[in-house]
Amino acid sequence: MGEIVRLQKYIAMCGVASRRAAENLISEGRVKVNGKTVNEQGIKVEIGADTVALNGKEIKPNRKNYYIMLNKPIGYVSTVHDQFERPTVVDLLKNEIKTRIFPVGRLDYDTEGLLLLTNDGDFTYKVTHPKFKVDKTYIAVLKGGISIKGLAELRKGVTLDDGFVTSPAQLEMLDADNGHTTIKITIHEGQNRQVRRMFESVGARVVELQRISVGNVELGTLPLGRWRYLTAHEINYLKNL
Ligand code: URA
């Protein structure tokens, strides 16, 4: 007999949605078990025995979950496909990893550094959903300087151009010379281009941005453009945040 799991867990194990998003798919009537539409939560299915279909197409759990760290270079998009045909982060792994894996959150085209990739939808939810408040640390190089007042405002929380109010950030000044200022900044939210827009809101301009850690998982000395598997310790830590 195969393992018996709740339907939403089964869907997440297929890598197509997080457990939470799977509940929505079920209530929207998009999931069938053994040919019958299911709209109630909590039913159980047996892996290998029951047939589960999403939008009419059978889905099967991944036999193996992948948890990967990539040192993303500038010039790659953090999606699986790009409408403008730009290179994607998945292109950097596709010769070695044949399973479909997805970036966990995003780094901008012009940001480099630590990007996680996985085929585990629950893991992605855990690391990216703001309610889990996972710290992400960046090294930002600014053109010119930043005022003491600007630093204080970022530490308190600022209002971005779209009205979003950021939580207090942790900032540490690392270096200032040759017309540039280097700052380490830690935030736990993931608004679009958030770090750049936070600095913009206090009149500073980011010219280089690198992510160096997610929670206490660090990029370390992984070379640019290279990837490695997360250790069991890192996976457990991120899953249990
Ligand atoms: N903040 C940004 O501005 N860009 C990123 O890529 C990540 C965080």
Side-chain angles (χ1 to χ4, degrees):
M1 197 166 89
E3 189 189 352
I4 295 178
V5 295
R6 283 159 68 93
L7 182 56
Q8 50 269 60
K9 174 159 185 200
Y10 184 101
I11 297 170
M13 288 167 81
C14 298
V16 291
S18 68
R19 227 179 276 196
R20 163 74 85 76
E23 287 172 4
N24 294 335
L25 295 172
I26 295 167
S27 28
E28 287 162 12
R30 293 163 64 185
V31 180
K32 284 187 178 166
V33 176
N34 302 324
K36 279 215 199 95
T37 303
V38 174
N39 345 65
E40 69 200 274
Q41 306 293 336
I43 78 151
K44 295 197 169 151
V45 290
E46 184 182 339
I47 298 174
D50 290 312
T51 310
V52 177
L54 171 66
N55 300 327
K57 205 167 151 234
E58 187 175 350
I59 51 172
K60 288 188 177 163
N62 298 307
R63 262 160 301 153
K64 181 168 175 333
N65 278 329
Y66 288 83
Y67 303 94
I68 287 169
M69 171 195 296
L70 170 74
N71 187 352
K72 176 197 171 299
I74 290 171
Y76 287 81
V77 287
S78 303
T79 47
V80 179
H81 296 291
D82 182 48
Q83 53 172 334
F84 305 114
E85 313 257 309
R86 289 174 297 183
T88 76
V89 290
V90 174
D91 293 339
L92 292 166
L93 300 108
K94 71 176 176 212
N95 290 339
E96 292 145 292
I97 306 286
K98 299 297 176 195
T99 305
R100 276 170 70 84
I101 49 166
F102 306 88
V104 178
R106 285 189 182 188
L107 288 181
D108 300 332
Y109 185 74
D110 46 357
T111 299
E112 63 181 40
L114 196 171
L115 183 69
L116 300 174
L117 297 108
T118 186
N119 57 350
D120 178 346
D122 272 345
F123 179 85
T124 299
Y125 179 67
K126 212 56 210 275
V127 176
T128 55
H129 197 286
K131 82 172 178 193
F132 297 111
K133 297 197 169 143
V134 181
D135 278 341
K136 283 123 193 156
T137 299
Y138 300 83
I139 304 290
V141 179
L142 310 180
K143 177 114 177 73
I146 180 168
S147 63
I148 302 279
K149 184 163 168 277
L151 286 174
E153 282 174 18
L154 290 168
R155 287 195 175 106
K156 272 204 308 226
V158 290
T159 306
L160 301 182
D161 46 11
D162 58 359
F164 182 86
V165 180
T166 63
S167 299
Q170 295 165 49
L171 283 100
E172 189 186 331
M173 177 87 85
L174 297 182
D175 196 19
D177 69 10
N178 293 329
H180 288 93
T181 308
T182 307
I183 291 184
K184 183 155 116 178
I185 173 166
T186 301
I187 60 171
H188 58 69
E189 295 147 329
Q191 297 292 305
N192 187 30
R193 297 180 78 81
Q194 182 165 340
V195 172
R196 293 173 201 273
R197 289 162 63 217
M198 285 172 73
F199 280 105
E200 265 162 37
S201 78
V202 297
R205 188 158 73 88
V206 173
V207 288
E208 279 172 38
L209 190 62
Q210 181 197 29
R211 181 155 70 190
I212 57 164
S213 61
V214 172
N216 68 13
V217 174
E218 293 181 358
L219 183 62
T221 56
L222 185 65
L224 202 57
R226 301 293 290 273
W227 63 272
R228 68 166 174 84
Y229 291 109
L230 294 188
T231 63
H233 181 76
E234 289 169 330
I235 297 165
N236 281 333
Y237 159 77
L238 290 168
K239 282 185 173 176
N240 292 304
L241 276 169

PDB file of all heavy atoms in Angstrom, residues 42-56:
ATOM      1  N   GLY A  42      -9.727  18.037   2.839  1.00  0.00           N
ATOM      2  CA  GLY A  42      -9.425  17.026   3.853  1.00  0.00           C
ATOM      3  C   GLY A  42      -9.572  15.587   3.404  1.00  0.00           C
ATOM      4  O   GLY A  42      -9.310  14.680   4.188  1.00  0.00           O
ATOM      5  N   ILE A  43      -9.998  15.350   2.150  1.00  0.00           N
ATOM      6  CA  ILE A  43     -10.087  13.946   1.784  1.00  0.00           C
ATOM      7  C   ILE A  43      -8.671  13.381   1.617  1.00  0.00           C
ATOM      8  O   ILE A  43      -7.716  14.119   1.370  1.00  0.00           O
ATOM      9  CB  ILE A  43     -10.939  13.696   0.520  1.00  0.00           C
ATOM     10  CG1 ILE A  43     -10.160  14.042  -0.732  1.00  0.00           C
ATOM     11  CG2 ILE A  43     -12.273  14.392   0.532  1.00  0.00           C
ATOM     12  CD1 ILE A  43     -10.657  13.165  -1.872  1.00  0.00           C
ATOM     13  N   LYS A  44      -8.571  12.080   1.773  1.00  0.00           N
ATOM     14  CA  LYS A  44      -7.237  11.471   1.726  1.00  0.00           C
ATOM     15  C   LYS A  44      -7.077  10.640   0.472  1.00  0.00           C
ATOM     16  O   LYS A  44      -8.059  10.065  -0.017  1.00  0.00           O
ATOM     17  CB  LYS A  44      -7.026  10.612   2.966  1.00  0.00           C
ATOM     18  CG  LYS A  44      -7.019  11.479   4.199  1.00  0.00           C
ATOM     19  CD  LYS A  44      -6.425  10.791   5.387  1.00  0.00           C
ATOM     20  CE  LYS A  44      -6.210  11.804   6.493  1.00  0.00           C
ATOM     21  NZ  LYS A  44      -6.302  11.220   7.804  1.00  0.00           N
ATOM     22  N   VAL A  45      -5.866  10.605  -0.029  1.00  0.00           N
ATOM     23  CA  VAL A  45      -5.605   9.799  -1.220  1.00  0.00           C
ATOM     24  C   VAL A  45      -4.385   8.918  -0.966  1.00  0.00           C
ATOM     25  O   VAL A  45      -3.532   9.245  -0.137  1.00  0.00           O
ATOM     26  CB  VAL A  45      -5.345  10.682  -2.473  1.00  0.00           C
ATOM     27  CG1 VAL A  45      -6.613  11.382  -2.923  1.00  0.00           C
ATOM     28  CG2 VAL A  45      -4.235  11.693  -2.240  1.00  0.00           C
ATOM     29  N   GLU A  46      -4.334   7.829  -1.702  1.00  0.00           N
ATOM     30  CA  GLU A  46      -3.204   6.919  -1.545  1.00  0.00           C
ATOM     31  C   GLU A  46      -2.254   7.105  -2.723  1.00  0.00           C
ATOM     32  O   GLU A  46      -2.659   6.968  -3.889  1.00  0.00           O
ATOM     33  CB  GLU A  46      -3.708   5.475  -1.498  1.00  0.00           C
ATOM     34  CG  GLU A  46      -2.582   4.505  -1.235  1.00  0.00           C
ATOM     35  CD  GLU A  46      -3.054   3.050  -1.236  1.00  0.00           C
ATOM     36  OE1 GLU A  46      -4.264   2.784  -1.052  1.00  0.00           O
ATOM     37  OE2 GLU A  46      -2.190   2.181  -1.450  1.00  0.00           O
ATOM     38  N   ILE A  47      -1.009   7.426  -2.394  1.00  0.00           N
ATOM     39  CA  ILE A  47      -0.021   7.651  -3.449  1.00  0.00           C
ATOM     40  C   ILE A  47       0.196   6.343  -4.223  1.00  0.00           C
ATOM     41  O   ILE A  47       0.382   5.287  -3.624  1.00  0.00           O
ATOM     42  CB  ILE A  47       1.319   8.156  -2.854  1.00  0.00           C
ATOM     43  CG1 ILE A  47       1.092   9.500  -2.168  1.00  0.00           C
ATOM     44  CG2 ILE A  47       2.397   8.272  -3.923  1.00  0.00           C
ATOM     45  CD1 ILE A  47       2.282  10.038  -1.410  1.00  0.00           C
ATOM     46  N   GLY A  48       0.135   6.443  -5.527  1.00  0.00           N
ATOM     47  CA  GLY A  48       0.376   5.259  -6.351  1.00  0.00           C
ATOM     48  C   GLY A  48      -0.891   4.479  -6.658  1.00  0.00           C
ATOM     49  O   GLY A  48      -0.918   3.688  -7.599  1.00  0.00           O
ATOM     50  N   ALA A  49      -1.972   4.687  -5.863  1.00  0.00           N
ATOM     51  CA  ALA A  49      -3.211   3.935  -6.094  1.00  0.00           C
ATOM     52  C   ALA A  49      -4.298   4.853  -6.653  1.00  0.00           C
ATOM     53  O   ALA A  49      -4.991   4.506  -7.601  1.00  0.00           O
ATOM     54  CB  ALA A  49      -3.674   3.294  -4.791  1.00  0.00           C
ATOM     55  N   ASP A  50      -4.460   6.046  -6.044  1.00  0.00           N
ATOM     56  CA  ASP A  50      -5.487   6.980  -6.531  1.00  0.00           C
ATOM     57  C   ASP A  50      -4.913   7.844  -7.656  1.00  0.00           C
ATOM     58  O   ASP A  50      -3.718   8.144  -7.673  1.00  0.00           O
ATOM     59  CB  ASP A  50      -5.959   7.875  -5.376  1.00  0.00           C
ATOM     60  CG  ASP A  50      -6.776   7.074  -4.364  1.00  0.00           C
ATOM     61  OD1 ASP A  50      -7.676   6.340  -4.795  1.00  0.00           O
ATOM     62  OD2 ASP A  50      -6.477   7.170  -3.159  1.00  0.00           O
ATOM     63  N   THR A  51      -5.820   8.239  -8.558  1.00  0.00           N
ATOM     64  CA  THR A  51      -5.411   9.124  -9.653  1.00  0.00           C
ATOM     65  C   THR A  51      -5.921  10.523  -9.364  1.00  0.00           C
ATOM     66  O   THR A  51      -7.115  10.697  -9.105  1.00  0.00           O
ATOM     67  CB  THR A  51      -6.046   8.653 -10.983  1.00  0.00           C
ATOM     68  OG1 THR A  51      -5.780   7.271 -11.119  1.00  0.00           O
ATOM     69  CG2 THR A  51      -5.487   9.412 -12.162  1.00  0.00           C
ATOM     70  N   VAL A  52      -5.014  11.492  -9.376  1.00  0.00           N
ATOM     71  CA  VAL A  52      -5.406  12.881  -9.106  1.00  0.00           C
ATOM     72  C   VAL A  52      -5.153  13.702 -10.361  1.00  0.00           C
ATOM     73  O   VAL A  52      -4.082  13.583 -10.983  1.00  0.00           O
ATOM     74  CB  VAL A  52      -4.605  13.454  -7.909  1.00  0.00           C
ATOM     75  CG1 VAL A  52      -4.962  14.917  -7.667  1.00  0.00           C
ATOM     76  CG2 VAL A  52      -4.864  12.628  -6.653  1.00  0.00           C
ATOM     77  N   ALA A  53      -6.149  14.517 -10.751  1.00  0.00           N
ATOM     78  CA  ALA A  53      -5.977  15.364 -11.940  1.00  0.00           C
ATOM     79  C   ALA A  53      -6.247  16.812 -11.571  1.00  0.00           C
ATOM     80  O   ALA A  53      -7.137  17.116 -10.780  1.00  0.00           O
ATOM     81  CB  ALA A  53      -6.921  14.913 -13.048  1.00  0.00           C
ATOM     82  N   LEU A  54      -5.438  17.704 -12.132  1.00  0.00           N
ATOM     83  CA  LEU A  54      -5.622  19.146 -11.953  1.00  0.00           C
ATOM     84  C   LEU A  54      -5.938  19.716 -13.323  1.00  0.00           C
ATOM     85  O   LEU A  54      -5.191  19.476 -14.281  1.00  0.00           O
ATOM     86  CB  LEU A  54      -4.340  19.774 -11.395  1.00  0.00           C
ATOM     87  CG  LEU A  54      -4.324  21.304 -11.354  1.00  0.00           C
ATOM     88  CD1 LEU A  54      -5.366  21.842 -10.377  1.00  0.00           C
ATOM     89  CD2 LEU A  54      -2.945  21.814 -10.984  1.00  0.00           C
ATOM     90  N   ASN A  55      -7.022  20.445 -13.421  1.00  0.00           N
ATOM     91  CA  ASN A  55      -7.477  21.006 -14.713  1.00  0.00           C
ATOM     92  C   ASN A  55      -7.501  19.915 -15.788  1.00  0.00           C
ATOM     93  O   ASN A  55      -7.100  20.143 -16.927  1.00  0.00           O
ATOM     94  CB  ASN A  55      -6.552  22.139 -15.169  1.00  0.00           C
ATOM     95  CG  ASN A  55      -6.519  23.279 -14.175  1.00  0.00           C
ATOM     96  OD1 ASN A  55      -7.520  23.557 -13.528  1.00  0.00           O
ATOM     97  ND2 ASN A  55      -5.370  23.925 -14.040  1.00  0.00           N
ATOM     98  N   GLY A  56      -7.914  18.720 -15.377  1.00  0.00           N
ATOM     99  CA  GLY A  56      -8.083  17.640 -16.347  1.00  0.00           C
ATOM    100  C   GLY A  56      -6.815  16.876 -16.679  1.00  0.00           C
ATOM    101  O   GLY A  56      -6.845  15.930 -17.466  1.00  0.00           O
TER     102      GLY A  56
END
